Amino acid sequence: MIHAIAIDDEKNALGIINEYAKRTEDLVLAGSFTDPLAALTWLTGHPEIGLVFLDIEMSKLNGLSLA
């Protein structure tokens, strides 16, 4: 089982990722975040996350910097 989160400042994009995750076996979307800084804080307490769907261009923090 793969535990993942999605980080994107556009709610529509998060909705699309959520729908695809529901249809994918062995994938659990543990969270969706529009705020990359909140996601970073949350990730520090969740080492089980093995996959991050990450937007590159976000207003608060660049996705590449976050990665």
Side-chain angles (χ1 to χ4, degrees), residues 3 42-51:
H3 292 83
W42 187 87
L43 274 171
T44 60
H46 295 85
E48 72 278 7
I49 301 301
L51 176 65

Side-chain angles (χ1 to χ4, degrees), residues 29-42:
L29 191 61
S32 296
F33 299 88
T34 56
D35 181 348
L37 298 175
L40 184 59
T41 300
W42 187 87

Side-chain angles (χ1 to χ4, degrees), residues 1-58:
M1 186 70 60
I2 299 171
H3 292 83
I5 64 166
I7 307 169
D8 198 313
D9 57 351
E10 296 180 27
K11 289 185 179 188
N12 289 340
L14 290 175
I16 292 168
I17 294 169
N18 189 33
E19 287 302 314
Y20 278 109
K22 287 179 184 177
R23 297 184 215 160
T24 305
E25 278 188 49
D26 297 327
L27 178 67
V28 174
L29 191 61
S32 296
F33 299 88
T34 56
D35 181 348
L37 298 175
L40 184 59
T41 300
W42 187 87
L43 274 171
T44 60
H46 295 85
E48 72 278 7
I49 301 301
L51 176 65
V52 177
F53 295 99
L54 180 59
D55 186 17
I56 299 300
E57 293 185 31
M58 295 183 284

